[in-house]
Amino acid sequence: MGKWTRRGFITAGVLTTGALVVGVGIRPGHRAPKLAGMVTSEDETLINAWVKIDTDNVITAIAPHSEMGQGAQTAITQMLADEMDADWEKIAFMEAPATEEFANYALAREYAAGNLTLPRFMEGTVDGVFMAMTKRMELQITGGSTSVRFTGQRGMRIAGAAAREMLIKAAAKDWDVPATQIRSEDAYLYHDASERKARYADFAAAAADYMPPAQPKLKSSADFKIIGKSKQRLDIPSKVDGSAVFGIDIDLPGMKYAAVKAAPVIGSKITSIDARGVSTMPGVVKIIKDDYFVAIVADGYWQASQALGQLDVRYENSPAKDLNQDAIFENFRQSMSAAVSEGKEKKDIAYGDARKALDSAAQVFEAEYSVPFLAHACMEPMNATVRIEGESAEIWTGTQNPLSIRNAVAETLGFKKDNVTLHNQFMGGGFGRRSSTDYPVMAAKIAAQCDFPIKMIWSREETTQQDWYRPASISRFKIGLDEAGQPVSWDQQYIDKLDPPEASHPIYNLSDVFVHYVESDHHIRFGPWRSVDHTQHGFYIESLVDELAHAAGQDGYTYRRALLADKPRHLAVLDATAKAANWGRTLPDGHGLGISIVESFGTICAQCVEVDMSNGEPKVTHVYSVADPGFVVNPDGFAAQIESGVIYGLTAALHGEITIEEGRVMQSNFHDYPIMRMADAPEIHVETINSGARLGGGGEPGTPPTAPALTNAIFNATGQRIRNLPVMTGLTSSV
Amino acid sequence: MATLIVNGVSHEIEADPAQPLLWALRETLKLNGTKFGCGIAQCGACTVHVEGQPVRACQTPLGAVDGLEVTTIEGLADADGQMHALQQAWIDHQVPQCGYCQSGQLMSAAALLAETPAPSDADIDRAMQGNICRCGMYGRIKSAIKQAALQMPQPSPEPAMQETGDIDAEETTNG
Ligand code: FES
Ligand code: FES
């Protein structure tokens, strides 16, 4: 076994501007228990927390990002592998465990350095300078399209380059040659003059003795061999033969199954249950009544859910019970009007003097738009498996937010954090839903009352009705126009500001802007939903601009061009989109073409939607999408993300609507919360532009432009303007 | 008690005959590739073959499949472990995103190709209509099915037309 030497974690912060701490130096048998598990055998050496080289020269990238299908694990592995001159055929990925050592340092730094404010879902954890911040924030979130642009760019590339430099240093010492004479290729080191050659693995142990260089030399994009290539995703083979393990697939010895139900009026308490006849049903092991949910634990999930269906549950009489959909929107309108008349607008962003400019405008254009609540509808229902032994707990689940879950479970159970272990699994969809801690906490509460492990599975109905919803909202615009129809004053009011802060800020060249909001006070809980506030603001702003264009007698493309004249990146994206869609062509009868452009998470994405309205109902035939994320790490993976974002956006725009009656969510399953199916899916054309700008995200930017491009296309086809989503409701209610 | 022949292996299952096949596969036989998505035959995540026909395992009572042959995603490759043409096509087209729906998609597609080796776009849409992909990978699924179809043994036109006189002649010749 040899001597166990403790090595210092350099995550403590060797860093100068532009350089990142590359991780952890560790040897087999290291006592840091959370990391020791990653070293699977004695003859492996973990150079640092981001990269592992084992004895057969396989290099494993270790990153704190979970996989929900966005391909980010592969993309950031590419970034590591390229800088390291690794052999792509012999590379693997491992997700970093949920411990503070892996807190997402790069993410924190980017927020600190990039003049971005922290998303609200991270608030309350931020404190101090980012060095201290990382640990304290315990950031380990997959969301906000952060993996590639933050962890990949700021962490992985540097880690890879540093690891390579350390290996070269070690070889140079051993071979007694200058480091500059050593070259690296496909995970081998060469000294050509003396014809010496060694595998990285041969020097892994020696290299671990060096501190990683704080500023390793990074490749220029011309030298990339792996970055920028459409490498096949590492997780895909396991997803075609049923072997991929999702949270719901965990199987523990002696495990029982739990079916659960919370109050239909979210957040209400359960007053009593009548379990007569239920406890004797086949397979039923335990009936648990919590303040906020009931659970039936049984030998099988079906037995548990059958029994749950028979359980008589009484709920408290919450005031939220009287709330209906119409009242929610009516309250929005009243509070918006009141805020203006009482001068109580909450300022979002203001420059120039919009109110004054409005007075001198030649004309005023006003419009009101609305969007409904939306559920995430992840394909895999919420679930978590928990085993509690003594004072420690283990959790198996798929989450975008591992550290928060670990902490929330520790707090719920009154356990020490170090005694709670999270085993993160593949997620059958995340889209923001799996950044909440509610479902693992619920499973932990159930497990705490059982002396065996439990797998808790939410029904589809429960998953739909106990979501954290994309907020319903209204937006009102008052736009002052000059004689030519150009905006000279921009006043936007809306309901609820969440994240990211810039979502409501117009990208257009405007001189006098006042954007303000009021906060809602209903009980429906909000959560980040793919692209968060950009979904509603993309729809509002891009619908409005289209209306202004038509009011000015111009088409949406030309009008936007003029307003973006000083923004070359935006113009390039817009132009390429129009070109891809062959903007201006004669369309088939009943067809319409609409355009939109939204910048979100650092990526500019424009889309043209072609819709066929000849049957009275929208049939989307084509979507043309062009995005500039700065640089595309994996072009095919990026394209898949955009395709996914488009379908997600179209589903929401056409059908997506969660309605509230008597305080409860009315939808329950895919029959009343429909998802776009193959026959309705359009052809999607995706292009990307590598402008070289700072890296943007991939998972979310494809969604926001879709809805407005669709409604603009419908207007183009029919002259009917859809101001209230979803389209299918808007079309019927406004006829 | 029901007898299930799953991927060629026979199992005696002690369970309520009303219990859906899905839970016997996942919990009793530990074949977790077949997924639970909706429980009401709306999403197709649980699609398996019963005697070669695609069925939704969440709505198929054990009692109804007693003694029948069931194939799951774990049995889609052949006995030597050679992947089905669809599985290779799924990798070539990088179809899965989160991957959760894909067992069901593959089983629906495999049933389609077994019946209709050279499907038209409309055939594909029809066969795949019961399968939701929340990640929206429909374009890739369709392309992958078409690629795999090229590798399917195609029936020679004449006998096929004689045996099934109602088959559209175009369909049997365009592959
Ligand atoms: S789980 Fe069977 S169709 Fe959805
Ligand atoms: S790949 Fe995620 S639902 Fe289809």
Side-chain angles (χ1 to χ4, degrees):
Chain A
M1 174 84 38
K3 203 172 164 217
W4 289 13
T5 9
R6 186 178 180 92
R7 302 180 60 89
F9 289 126
I10 46 175
T11 40
V14 179
L15 169 121
T16 52
T17 313
L20 239 198
V21 173
V22 284
V24 181
I26 187 171
R27 283 212 169 127
H30 193 292
R31 287 178 196 277
K34 298 294 176 355
L35 294 171
M38 295 167 56
V39 182
T40 51
S41 74
E42 276 187 51
D43 43 11
E44 287 177 344
T45 304
L46 198 64
I47 289 190
N48 59 45
W50 306 89
V51 53
K52 180 176 77 158
I53 303 175
D54 63 37
T55 48
D56 54 2
N57 215 25
V58 169
I59 293 171
T60 306
I62 301 157
H65 281 287
S66 40
E67 186 60 63
M68 47 188 173
Q70 77 281 44
Q73 293 185 343
T74 304
I76 54 186
T77 305
Q78 283 177 258
M79 298 170 96
L80 173 97
D82 205 332
E83 290 293 353
M84 200 168 169
D85 283 337
D87 178 359
W88 185 253
E89 299 307 316
K90 295 180 86 179
I91 195 129
F93 177 86
M94 196 192 315
E95 185 174 329
T99 71
E100 287 79 357
E101 282 77 11
F102 290 93
N104 199 329
Y105 191 89
L107 180 63
R109 187 181 179 283
E110 185 74 10
Y111 273 105
N115 294 328
L116 296 166
T117 344
L118 283 158
R120 186 176 295 191
F121 61 86
M122 296 176 189
E123 261 175 30
T125 46
V126 183
D127 182 13
V129 214
F130 67 93
M131 287 290 295
M133 191 159 100
T134 311
K135 271 201 169 185
R136 202 155 311 170
M137 284 166 76
E138 305 198 326
L139 281 175
Q140 204 187 37
I141 294 167
T142 300
S145 296
T146 53
S147 340
V148 167
R149 59 191 185 132
F150 297 162
T151 307
Q153 185 74 348
R154 307 246 163 192
M156 276 301 179
R157 288 190 61 195
I158 289 164
R164 184 181 149 276
E165 282 184 20
M166 291 152 73
L167 288 162
I168 287 179
K169 230 173 170 177
K173 180 159 183 246
D174 189 66
W175 292 344
D176 198 18
V177 297
T180 48
Q181 291 180 7
I182 295 179
R183 67 179 175 90
S184 54
E185 192 182 325
D186 287 346
Y188 275 81
L189 296 162
Y190 298 87
H191 185 248
D192 294 330
S194 61
E195 292 184 3
R196 267 177 294 192
K197 168 183 175 180
R199 304 173 313 148
Y200 280 4
D202 301 335
F203 286 106
D209 284 332
Y210 297 102
M211 283 292 281
Q215 284 176 301
K217 194 169 174 310
L218 297 184
K219 289 183 178 178
S220 74
S221 54
D223 297 327
F224 289 158
K225 288 186 188 145
I226 298 172
I227 298 175
K229 299 285 183 308
S230 291
K231 294 292 177 191
Q232 294 203 335
R233 263 172 48 204
L234 303 167
D235 56 322
I236 281 187
S238 73
K239 291 177 175 176
V240 304
D241 64 5
S243 65
V245 176
F246 294 83
I248 204 169
D249 300 328
I250 293 301
D251 186 47
L252 301 178
M255 176 179 88
K256 308 255 182 232
Y257 300 83
V260 296
K261 183 159 185 51
V265 179
I266 295 179
S268 293
K269 284 192 175 173
I270 289 166
T271 48
S272 66
I273 58 172
D274 181 353
R276 265 173 301 177
V278 176
S279 46
T280 54
M281 284 177 74
V284 172
V285 176
K286 212 172 175 82
I287 299 172
I288 294 170
K289 179 195 161 298
D290 180 88
D291 276 356
Y292 292 97
F293 67 90
V294 288
I296 297 211
V297 182
D299 293 331
Y301 178 69
W302 184 72
Q303 293 169 319
S305 56
Q306 291 292 105
L308 187 64
Q310 297 302 312
L311 193 68
D312 188 9
V313 187
R314 301 277 157 82
Y315 308 100
E316 72 173 321
N317 213 352
S318 128
K321 219 173 130 235
D322 300 326
L323 198 63
N324 290 334
Q325 181 85 351
D326 292 347
I328 291 175
F329 279 91
E330 195 40 46
N331 291 343
F332 286 170
R333 291 194 173 90
Q334 279 178 15
S335 58
M336 291 172 92
S337 300
V340 173
S341 60
E342 294 161 19
K344 287 191 177 149
E345 302 100 329
K346 276 182 181 298
K347 185 182 100 174
D348 177 347
I349 188 171
Y351 44 89
D353 189 340
R355 297 253 157 108
K356 195 161 148 235
L358 189 71
D359 289 340
S360 52
Q363 353 159 21
V364 177
F365 184 93
E366 290 187 79
E368 181 187 292
Y369 304 90
S370 73
V371 298
F373 294 108
L374 293 174
H376 296 81
C378 298
M379 208 62 203
E380 178 192 10
M382 296 303 110
N383 65 82
T385 299
V386 178
R387 174 165 63 200
I388 295 180
E389 269 162 12
E391 294 283 294
S392 33
E394 282 180 279
I395 311 149
W396 289 259
T397 195
T399 171
Q400 296 172 251
N401 197 356
L403 285 170
S404 295
I405 285 187
R406 181 168 161 250
N407 296 344
V409 167
E411 195 175 309
T412 304
L413 298 175
F415 289 0
K416 286 220 245 10
K417 255 190 328 194
D418 283 347
N419 293 345
V420 176
T421 309
L422 178 81
H423 307 280
N424 204 3
Q425 308 298 319
F426 280 139
M427 281 171 265
F431 313 120
R433 173 61 181 91
R434 285 189 156 93
S435 58
S436 302
T437 59
D438 55 338
Y439 57 103
V441 165
M442 188 186 276
K445 284 182 169 179
I446 298 168
Q449 297 197 37
C450 299
D451 42 20
F452 40 78
I454 61 102
K455 168 149 77 180
M456 174 203 74
I457 305 173
W458 289 16
S459 63
R460 171 57 56 190
E461 289 74 14
E462 202 68 2
T463 300
T464 306
Q465 299 185 336
Q466 300 291 328
D467 203 342
W468 297 74
Y469 301 90
R470 196 287 301 270
S473 166
I474 289 182
S475 181
R476 288 174 175 168
F477 290 90
K478 204 176 228 187
I479 307 295
L481 301 166
D482 65 14
E483 308 287 347
Q486 292 299 304
V488 293
S489 164
W490 179 280
D491 183 320
Q492 183 196 1
Q493 182 187 34
Y494 64 90
I495 298 284
D496 287 327
K497 181 170 182 63
L498 300 167
D499 291 305
E502 70 276 12
S504 49
H505 304 174
I507 56 172
Y508 297 103
N509 186 12
L510 302 163
S511 54
D512 297 272
V513 169
F514 181 38
V515 180
H516 49 103
Y517 62 100
V518 294
E519 276 167 359
S520 63
D521 65 351
H522 55 74
H523 70 290
I524 306 299
R525 59 193 190 184
F526 306 150
W529 187 98
R530 198 169 193 168
S531 85
V532 208
D533 282 0
H534 283 290
T535 56
Q536 59 265 35
H537 287 290
F539 172 67
Y540 299 151
I541 295 173
E542 288 305 292
S543 297
L544 173 88
V545 171
D546 217 64
E547 295 209 48
L548 297 182
H550 291 287
Q554 294 180 25
D555 74 56
Y557 168 50
T558 322
Y559 191 81
R560 281 177 178 81
R561 277 203 105 251
L563 285 174
L564 292 168
D566 59 346
K567 297 206 163 173
R569 279 182 74 203
H570 293 79
L571 273 185
V573 171
L574 196 67
D575 288 347
T577 311
K579 184 157 175 254
N582 196 3
W583 184 267
R585 74 188 136 104
T586 312
L587 297 168
D589 270 356
H591 281 227
L593 197 59
I595 195 166
S596 72
I597 179 166
V598 178
E599 177 177 353
S600 65
F601 304 97
T603 293
I604 302 166
C605 185
Q607 290 174 359
C608 281
V609 165
E610 183 170 345
V611 69
D612 177 2
M613 293 297 292
S614 53
N615 289 327
E617 286 204 353
K619 160 92 182 128
V620 179
T621 60
H622 293 85
V623 176
Y624 306 87
S625 179
V626 179
D628 173 5
F631 186 87
V632 188
V633 174
N634 185 323
D636 184 61
F638 188 89
Q641 280 299 297
I642 297 288
E643 292 162 28
S644 173
V646 164
I647 300 288
Y648 207 81
L650 284 177
T651 293
L654 287 166
H655 310 286
E657 185 172 33
I658 288 290
T659 54
I660 309 299
E661 295 302 331
E662 295 180 346
R664 51 179 81 190
V665 168
M666 298 311 288
Q667 290 68 28
S668 60
N669 205 316
F670 294 125
H671 64 287
D672 54 12
Y673 194 73
I675 307 297
M676 176 170 270
R677 292 169 190 262
M678 183 181 279
D680 297 318
E683 263 183 50
I684 305 173
H685 170 95
V686 179
E687 281 176 39
T688 47
I689 295 176
N690 285 339
S691 66
R694 186 194 185 92
L695 284 194
E700 313 191 65
T703 299
T706 309
L710 169 65
T711 51
N712 294 345
I714 292 174
F715 178 80
N716 182 241
T718 64
Q720 188 177 358
R721 175 59 63 182
I722 311 279
R723 285 179 171 168
N724 308 301
L725 292 181
V727 168
M728 295 312 286
T729 308
L731 271 179
T732 43
S733 63
S734 55
V735 167
Chain B
M1 173 104 88
T3 305
L4 285 188
I5 307 150
V6 182
N7 303 330
V9 182
S10 179
H11 304 270
E12 303 290 317
I13 307 243
E14 200 78 54
D16 186 336
Q19 184 193 317
L21 171 62
L22 173 64
W23 303 108
L25 292 173
R26 289 181 54 84
E27 295 176 0
T28 312
L29 302 180
K30 312 290 182 198
L31 292 170
N32 277 318
T34 305
K35 299 299 191 230
F36 165 57
C38 67
I40 59 165
Q42 282 286 317
C43 75
C46 65
T47 306
V48 298
H49 297 176
V50 173
E51 301 284 315
Q53 293 302 308
V55 304
R56 312 294 178 217
C58 70
Q59 284 288 304
T60 305
L62 274 179
V65 291
D66 191 9
L68 302 184
E69 294 259 5
V70 177
T71 309
T72 69
I73 184 71
E74 289 88 350
L76 187 59
D78 70 16
D80 308 329
Q82 179 69 37
M83 277 194 284
H84 190 285
L86 282 164
Q87 290 172 301
Q88 185 58 52
W90 247 239
I91 293 174
D92 293 346
H93 289 264
Q94 295 283 289
V95 171
Q97 202 136 111
C98 81
Y100 194 79
C101 72
Q102 298 297 347
S103 299
Q105 305 277 3
L106 281 157
M107 296 312 282
S108 289
L112 165 71
L113 292 187
E115 191 116 309
T116 313
S120 64
D121 275 28
D123 291 335
I124 297 175
D125 283 351
R126 214 174 305 124
M128 304 305 290
Q129 195 61 3
N131 290 80
I132 290 174
C133 176
R134 181 55 163 151
C135 300
M137 291 296 99
Y138 298 117
R140 287 170 187 251
I141 292 171
K142 201 180 249 187
S143 310
I145 293 175
K146 289 179 181 174
Q147 176 192 310
L150 297 176
Q151 290 155 45
M152 289 289 113
Q154 304 295 324
S156 55
E158 287 81 356
M161 285 174 69
Q162 281 167 9
E163 276 166 25
T164 51
D166 56 338
I167 275 191
D168 179 0
E170 253 183 47
E171 273 193 14
T172 56
T173 52
N174 69 359

